[in-house]
mmCIF file of all heavy atoms in Angstrom:
data_model
loop_
_atom_site.group_PDB
_atom_site.id
_atom_site.type_symbol
_atom_site.label_atom_id
_atom_site.label_comp_id
_atom_site.label_asym_id
_atom_site.label_seq_id
_atom_site.Cartn_x
_atom_site.Cartn_y
_atom_site.Cartn_z
ATOM 1 N N ARG A 23 22.198 268.939 68.862
ATOM 2 C CA ARG A 23 21.955 268.500 67.486
ATOM 3 C C ARG A 23 21.591 267.021 67.421
ATOM 4 O O ARG A 23 21.022 266.561 66.426
ATOM 5 C CB ARG A 23 23.172 268.800 66.602
ATOM 6 C CG ARG A 23 24.338 267.841 66.780
ATOM 7 C CD ARG A 23 25.593 268.300 66.044
ATOM 8 N NE ARG A 23 25.379 268.535 64.647
ATOM 9 C CZ ARG A 23 25.526 267.604 63.704
ATOM 10 N NH1 ARG A 23 25.866 266.366 64.021
ATOM 11 N NH2 ARG A 23 25.343 267.904 62.427
ATOM 12 N N ARG A 24 21.880 266.291 68.489
ATOM 13 C CA ARG A 24 21.587 264.857 68.527
ATOM 14 C C ARG A 24 20.252 264.566 69.209
ATOM 15 O O ARG A 24 19.967 263.416 69.522
ATOM 16 C CB ARG A 24 22.703 264.110 69.250
ATOM 17 C CG ARG A 24 24.058 264.195 68.580
ATOM 18 C CD ARG A 24 24.108 263.359 67.320
ATOM 19 N NE ARG A 24 23.829 261.952 67.591
ATOM 20 C CZ ARG A 24 23.713 261.009 66.655
ATOM 21 N NH1 ARG A 24 23.838 261.342 65.381
ATOM 22 N NH2 ARG A 24 23.476 259.757 66.986
ATOM 23 N N SER A 25 19.441 265.574 69.435
ATOM 24 C CA SER A 25 18.098 265.379 69.988
ATOM 25 C C SER A 25 17.081 265.425 68.848
ATOM 26 O O SER A 25 17.377 265.897 67.741
ATOM 27 C CB SER A 25 17.762 266.466 71.018
ATOM 28 O OG SER A 25 17.641 267.736 70.384
ATOM 29 N N ALA A 26 15.855 264.932 69.125
ATOM 30 C CA ALA A 26 14.792 264.995 68.118
ATOM 31 C C ALA A 26 14.501 266.448 67.748
ATOM 32 O O ALA A 26 14.293 266.775 66.574
ATOM 33 C CB ALA A 26 13.534 264.297 68.651
ATOM 34 N N TYR A 27 14.487 267.312 68.742
ATOM 35 C CA TYR A 27 14.276 268.749 68.497
ATOM 36 C C TYR A 27 15.359 269.289 67.577
ATOM 37 O O TYR A 27 15.076 270.002 66.603
ATOM 38 C CB TYR A 27 14.294 269.475 69.836
ATOM 39 C CG TYR A 27 14.151 270.980 69.768
ATOM 40 C CD1 TYR A 27 12.964 271.604 70.147
ATOM 41 C CD2 TYR A 27 15.200 271.788 69.359
ATOM 42 C CE1 TYR A 27 12.832 272.984 70.099
ATOM 43 C CE2 TYR A 27 15.078 273.162 69.303
ATOM 44 C CZ TYR A 27 13.900 273.757 69.674
ATOM 45 O OH TYR A 27 13.785 275.125 69.621
ATOM 46 N N GLY A 28 16.625 268.978 67.879
ATOM 47 C CA GLY A 28 17.735 269.488 67.083
ATOM 48 C C GLY A 28 17.692 269.003 65.647
ATOM 49 O O GLY A 28 17.945 269.766 64.713
ATOM 50 N N LEU A 29 17.384 267.724 65.441
ATOM 51 C CA LEU A 29 17.304 267.188 64.083
ATOM 52 C C LEU A 29 16.173 267.854 63.308
ATOM 53 O O LEU A 29 16.351 268.266 62.153
ATOM 54 C CB LEU A 29 17.096 265.675 64.121
ATOM 55 C CG LEU A 29 16.939 264.994 62.747
ATOM 56 C CD1 LEU A 29 18.182 265.207 61.895
ATOM 57 C CD2 LEU A 29 16.650 263.501 62.911
ATOM 58 N N LEU A 30 15.016 267.969 63.935
ATOM 59 C CA LEU A 30 13.873 268.588 63.270
ATOM 60 C C LEU A 30 14.165 270.055 62.940
ATOM 61 O O LEU A 30 13.805 270.546 61.860
ATOM 62 C CB LEU A 30 12.637 268.474 64.156
ATOM 63 C CG LEU A 30 11.288 268.802 63.517
ATOM 64 C CD1 LEU A 30 11.018 267.905 62.320
ATOM 65 C CD2 LEU A 30 10.168 268.663 64.548
ATOM 66 N N ASP A 31 14.826 270.757 63.844
ATOM 67 C CA ASP A 31 15.180 272.153 63.606
ATOM 68 C C ASP A 31 16.125 272.271 62.419
ATOM 69 O O ASP A 31 16.018 273.201 61.610
ATOM 70 C CB ASP A 31 15.823 272.734 64.861
ATOM 71 C CG ASP A 31 15.894 274.255 64.848
ATOM 72 O OD1 ASP A 31 15.061 274.879 64.163
ATOM 73 O OD2 ASP A 31 16.777 274.810 65.514
ATOM 74 N N ARG A 32 17.043 271.310 62.286
ATOM 75 C CA ARG A 32 18.031 271.371 61.202
ATOM 76 C C ARG A 32 17.427 271.106 59.837
ATOM 77 O O ARG A 32 17.834 271.707 58.846
ATOM 78 C CB ARG A 32 19.149 270.355 61.455
ATOM 79 C CG ARG A 32 20.161 270.774 62.504
ATOM 80 C CD ARG A 32 21.322 269.811 62.547
ATOM 81 N NE ARG A 32 21.008 268.575 63.248
ATOM 82 C CZ ARG A 32 21.497 267.388 62.944
ATOM 83 N NH1 ARG A 32 22.288 267.248 61.894
ATOM 84 N NH2 ARG A 32 21.190 266.334 63.666
ATOM 85 N N ILE A 33 16.463 270.190 59.764
ATOM 86 C CA ILE A 33 15.970 269.762 58.452
ATOM 87 C C ILE A 33 14.719 270.504 57.998
ATOM 88 O O ILE A 33 14.310 270.375 56.847
ATOM 89 C CB ILE A 33 15.689 268.244 58.449
ATOM 90 C CG1 ILE A 33 14.525 267.894 59.396
ATOM 91 C CG2 ILE A 33 16.943 267.462 58.826
ATOM 92 C CD1 ILE A 33 14.138 266.422 59.365
ATOM 93 N N THR A 34 14.105 271.292 58.880
ATOM 94 C CA THR A 34 12.884 272.003 58.516
ATOM 95 C C THR A 34 13.217 273.239 57.678
ATOM 96 O O THR A 34 14.031 274.056 58.092
ATOM 97 C CB THR A 34 12.106 272.436 59.776
ATOM 98 O OG1 THR A 34 11.838 271.292 60.576
ATOM 99 C CG2 THR A 34 10.796 273.098 59.404
ATOM 100 N N PRO A 35 12.597 273.408 56.511
ATOM 101 C CA PRO A 35 12.829 274.614 55.691
ATOM 102 C C PRO A 35 12.448 275.889 56.434
ATOM 103 O O PRO A 35 11.716 275.863 57.428
ATOM 104 C CB PRO A 35 11.928 274.382 54.470
ATOM 105 C CG PRO A 35 11.714 272.905 54.421
ATOM 106 C CD PRO A 35 11.704 272.444 55.853
ATOM 107 N N ALA A 36 12.919 277.016 55.897
ATOM 108 C CA ALA A 36 12.841 278.287 56.624
ATOM 109 C C ALA A 36 11.416 278.694 56.978
ATOM 110 O O ALA A 36 11.137 279.034 58.129
ATOM 111 C CB ALA A 36 13.525 279.390 55.812
ATOM 112 N N TRP A 37 10.497 278.710 56.017
ATOM 113 C CA TRP A 37 9.181 279.288 56.327
ATOM 114 C C TRP A 37 8.359 278.415 57.262
ATOM 115 O O TRP A 37 7.762 278.932 58.197
ATOM 116 C CB TRP A 37 8.411 279.625 55.047
ATOM 117 C CG TRP A 37 7.935 278.450 54.235
ATOM 118 C CD1 TRP A 37 8.574 277.855 53.191
ATOM 119 C CD2 TRP A 37 6.704 277.733 54.417
ATOM 120 N NE1 TRP A 37 7.837 276.805 52.715
ATOM 121 C CE2 TRP A 37 6.678 276.713 53.436
ATOM 122 C CE3 TRP A 37 5.631 277.864 55.299
ATOM 123 C CZ2 TRP A 37 5.622 275.822 53.322
ATOM 124 C CZ3 TRP A 37 4.579 276.967 55.184
ATOM 125 C CH2 TRP A 37 4.572 275.963 54.205
ATOM 126 N N PRO A 38 8.313 277.050 57.105
ATOM 127 C CA PRO A 38 7.578 276.282 58.124
ATOM 128 C C PRO A 38 8.286 276.281 59.468
ATOM 129 O O PRO A 38 7.644 276.170 60.512
ATOM 130 C CB PRO A 38 7.504 274.871 57.528
ATOM 131 C CG PRO A 38 8.570 274.810 56.510
ATOM 132 C CD PRO A 38 8.746 276.194 55.993
ATOM 133 N N ARG A 39 9.624 276.456 59.455
ATOM 134 C CA ARG A 39 10.355 276.536 60.725
ATOM 135 C C ARG A 39 9.895 277.750 61.521
ATOM 136 O O ARG A 39 9.722 277.676 62.746
ATOM 137 C CB ARG A 39 11.854 276.615 60.457
ATOM 138 C CG ARG A 39 12.716 276.748 61.713
ATOM 139 C CD ARG A 39 14.192 276.674 61.362
ATOM 140 N NE ARG A 39 15.022 276.831 62.538
ATOM 141 C CZ ARG A 39 15.647 277.951 62.871
ATOM 142 N NH1 ARG A 39 15.534 279.026 62.109
ATOM 143 N NH2 ARG A 39 16.390 278.009 63.950
ATOM 144 N N ARG A 40 9.687 278.873 60.852
ATOM 145 C CA ARG A 40 9.214 280.061 61.562
ATOM 146 C C ARG A 40 7.839 279.825 62.183
ATOM 147 O O ARG A 40 7.566 280.255 63.300
ATOM 148 C CB ARG A 40 9.169 281.255 60.605
ATOM 149 C CG ARG A 40 10.532 281.826 60.258
ATOM 150 C CD ARG A 40 10.402 283.173 59.597
ATOM 151 N NE ARG A 40 9.762 283.077 58.291
ATOM 152 C CZ ARG A 40 10.423 282.873 57.156
ATOM 153 N NH1 ARG A 40 11.750 282.747 57.177
ATOM 154 N NH2 ARG A 40 9.784 282.810 56.006
ATOM 155 N N LEU A 41 6.959 279.120 61.467
ATOM 156 C CA LEU A 41 5.625 278.849 61.982
ATOM 157 C C LEU A 41 5.660 277.874 63.155
ATOM 158 O O LEU A 41 4.947 278.031 64.145
ATOM 159 C CB LEU A 41 4.735 278.283 60.870
ATOM 160 C CG LEU A 41 4.410 279.228 59.715
ATOM 161 C CD1 LEU A 41 3.615 278.500 58.651
ATOM 162 C CD2 LEU A 41 3.643 280.445 60.210
ATOM 163 N N LEU A 42 6.514 276.839 63.042
ATOM 164 C CA LEU A 42 6.572 275.805 64.078
ATOM 165 C C LEU A 42 7.242 276.296 65.346
ATOM 166 O O LEU A 42 6.781 276.022 66.456
ATOM 167 C CB LEU A 42 7.333 274.581 63.550
ATOM 168 C CG LEU A 42 6.598 273.658 62.586
ATOM 169 C CD1 LEU A 42 7.568 272.630 62.021
ATOM 170 C CD2 LEU A 42 5.436 272.959 63.282
ATOM 171 N N TRP A 43 8.371 277.024 65.188
ATOM 172 C CA TRP A 43 9.208 277.322 66.344
ATOM 173 C C TRP A 43 8.915 278.656 66.994
ATOM 174 O O TRP A 43 9.378 278.922 68.095
ATOM 175 C CB TRP A 43 10.693 277.271 65.960
ATOM 176 C CG TRP A 43 11.165 275.970 65.422
ATOM 177 C CD1 TRP A 43 12.046 275.787 64.402
ATOM 178 C CD2 TRP A 43 10.824 274.646 65.868
ATOM 179 N NE1 TRP A 43 12.260 274.451 64.172
ATOM 180 C CE2 TRP A 43 11.524 273.726 65.066
ATOM 181 C CE3 TRP A 43 9.978 274.157 66.865
ATOM 182 C CZ2 TRP A 43 11.418 272.362 65.226
ATOM 183 C CZ3 TRP A 43 9.858 272.781 67.027
ATOM 184 C CH2 TRP A 43 10.572 271.894 66.220
ATOM 185 N N ARG A 44 8.165 279.531 66.333
ATOM 186 C CA ARG A 44 7.924 280.841 66.935
ATOM 187 C C ARG A 44 7.289 280.739 68.325
ATOM 188 O O ARG A 44 7.666 281.490 69.223
ATOM 189 C CB ARG A 44 7.047 281.691 66.001
ATOM 190 C CG ARG A 44 6.873 283.130 66.486
ATOM 191 C CD ARG A 44 8.214 283.825 66.690
ATOM 192 N NE ARG A 44 8.097 285.062 67.464
ATOM 193 C CZ ARG A 44 9.119 285.693 68.010
ATOM 194 N NH1 ARG A 44 10.332 285.214 67.885
ATOM 195 N NH2 ARG A 44 8.933 286.803 68.693
ATOM 196 N N PRO A 45 6.349 279.791 68.567
ATOM 197 C CA PRO A 45 5.800 279.687 69.925
ATOM 198 C C PRO A 45 6.822 279.279 70.977
ATOM 199 O O PRO A 45 6.591 279.460 72.175
ATOM 200 C CB PRO A 45 4.711 278.610 69.780
ATOM 201 C CG PRO A 45 4.356 278.620 68.337
ATOM 202 C CD PRO A 45 5.629 278.917 67.620
ATOM 203 N N LEU A 46 7.982 278.719 70.539
ATOM 204 C CA LEU A 46 8.994 278.284 71.493
ATOM 205 C C LEU A 46 9.864 279.434 71.976
ATOM 206 O O LEU A 46 10.577 279.307 72.970
ATOM 207 C CB LEU A 46 9.900 277.220 70.860
ATOM 208 C CG LEU A 46 9.402 275.778 70.897
ATOM 209 C CD1 LEU A 46 8.120 275.608 70.108
ATOM 210 C CD2 LEU A 46 10.464 274.838 70.346
ATOM 211 N N VAL A 47 9.824 280.547 71.259
ATOM 212 C CA VAL A 47 10.688 281.672 71.608
ATOM 213 C C VAL A 47 10.101 282.407 72.809
ATOM 214 O O VAL A 47 8.937 282.786 72.818
ATOM 215 C CB VAL A 47 10.831 282.639 70.420
ATOM 216 C CG1 VAL A 47 11.698 283.832 70.807
ATOM 217 C CG2 VAL A 47 11.436 281.901 69.236
ATOM 218 N N THR A 48 10.906 282.588 73.839
ATOM 219 C CA THR A 48 10.463 283.297 75.032
ATOM 220 C C THR A 48 10.095 284.726 74.681
ATOM 221 O O THR A 48 10.841 285.403 73.969
ATOM 222 C CB THR A 48 11.587 283.303 76.089
ATOM 223 O OG1 THR A 48 11.944 281.949 76.371
ATOM 224 C CG2 THR A 48 11.139 283.991 77.362
ATOM 225 N N PRO A 49 8.945 285.228 75.139
ATOM 226 C CA PRO A 49 8.559 286.606 74.845
ATOM 227 C C PRO A 49 9.666 287.582 75.227
ATOM 228 O O PRO A 49 10.257 287.488 76.299
ATOM 229 C CB PRO A 49 7.309 286.805 75.713
ATOM 230 C CG PRO A 49 6.738 285.435 75.858
ATOM 231 C CD PRO A 49 7.922 284.517 75.926
ATOM 232 N N GLY A 50 9.957 288.503 74.308
ATOM 233 C CA GLY A 50 11.005 289.481 74.558
ATOM 234 C C GLY A 50 12.363 289.078 74.034
ATOM 235 O O GLY A 50 13.321 289.844 74.126
ATOM 236 N N THR A 51 12.479 287.864 73.485
ATOM 237 C CA THR A 51 13.738 287.434 72.895
ATOM 238 C C THR A 51 13.545 287.221 71.402
ATOM 239 O O THR A 51 12.452 286.896 70.949
ATOM 240 C CB THR A 51 14.258 286.131 73.541
ATOM 241 O OG1 THR A 51 13.313 285.078 73.290
ATOM 242 C CG2 THR A 51 14.459 286.306 75.023
ATOM 243 N N PRO A 52 14.612 287.398 70.604
ATOM 244 C CA PRO A 52 14.482 287.246 69.158
ATOM 245 C C PRO A 52 14.421 285.787 68.746
ATOM 246 O O PRO A 52 14.854 284.903 69.478
ATOM 247 C CB PRO A 52 15.759 287.902 68.632
ATOM 248 C CG PRO A 52 16.761 287.690 69.721
ATOM 249 C CD PRO A 52 15.967 287.798 71.003
#
């Protein structure tokens, strides 16, 4: 939570978060 990634993940609203972070999810994982 104290990383730039963690802060951005916490403050990003739900719908843009899905657009931004979906490429980070390993294929086959939720």
